[in-house]
């Protein structure tokens, strides 16, 4: 049973991280070029998700326990975001699509970091608040 629960957790992490990475591509594109459209968006958006999931493999991003998220996990998210943004930009250059500006990899990396890190921190914070029912009068 614990193995099944672990596989379900990993599948949920992959789905959530992939969806957030897919959202990061148009958001970063808009940040760097507000008036421009994403060339072949049907290809670039899934590519952003796939590249992040690939970049997260060496850092074991999809195996994280969100309820225990700490500084080490945020460093993992940071490293995965940087590697994912670099790989995504390299793939765009190789395919000749090219990002809208030289600042796109930086914007994409920071967007990935914000979109992947914020839910982990928020989940950890909400879980810790409901597990420690300390009365305000007792907390000094």
């Amino acid at each position: 049973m614990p193995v099944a629960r672990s596989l379900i957790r990993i599948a949920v992490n992959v789905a959530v991280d992939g969806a957030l990475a897919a959202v990061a591509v148009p958001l970063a594109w808009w940040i760097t070029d507000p008036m421009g459209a994403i060339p072949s968006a049907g290809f670039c958006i899934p590519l952003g998700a796939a590249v992040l999931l690939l970049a997260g493999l060496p850092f074991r991003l999809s195996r994280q326990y969100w309820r225990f998220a700490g500084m080490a996990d945020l460093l993992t998210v940071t490293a995965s975001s940087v590697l994912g943004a670099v790989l995504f930009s390299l793939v765009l250059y190789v395919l000749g699509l090219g990002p809208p500006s030289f600042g796109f990899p930086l914007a994409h990396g920071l967007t990935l970091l914000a979109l992947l890190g914020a839910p982990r921190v928020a989940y950890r914070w909400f879980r810790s608040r409901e597990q420690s029912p300390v009365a305000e009068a007792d907390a000094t």
Side-chain angles (χ1 to χ4, degrees):
M1 188 60 126
V3 173
R5 235 182 306 168
S6 180
L7 291 176
I8 291 171
R9 175 183 49 84
I10 291 171
V12 168
N13 283 353
V14 166
V16 171
D17 288 344
L20 291 172
V23 169
V25 171
L27 187 59
W29 205 285
W30 177 78
I31 288 170
T32 55
D33 185 18
M35 301 304 282
I38 301 173
S40 58
F43 169 74
C44 286
I45 292 173
L47 176 68
V51 166
L52 175 80
L53 295 175
L54 181 67
L57 285 177
F59 304 108
R60 301 171 62 124
L61 181 67
S62 61
R63 299 189 67 135
Q64 288 183 345
Y65 286 93
W66 283 31
R67 65 180 163 196
F68 303 125
M71 283 306 293
D73 295 319
L74 291 180
L75 289 174
T76 298
V77 169
T78 302
S80 300
S81 298
V82 168
L83 185 59
V86 168
L87 288 175
F88 183 77
S89 293
L90 286 175
V91 170
L92 288 182
Y93 279 124
V94 168
L95 296 176
L97 297 174
S101 70
F102 289 116
F104 177 78
L106 178 64
H108 188 215
L110 291 174
T111 304
L112 281 171
L113 178 60
L115 289 178
L116 295 174
R120 284 168 166 79
V121 171
Y123 183 78
R124 165 82 191 266
W125 185 70
F126 283 122
R127 291 284 296 191
S128 68
R129 285 178 51 96
E130 70 185 32
Q131 289 179 356
S132 62
V134 177
E136 279 189 39
D138 295 335
T140 57

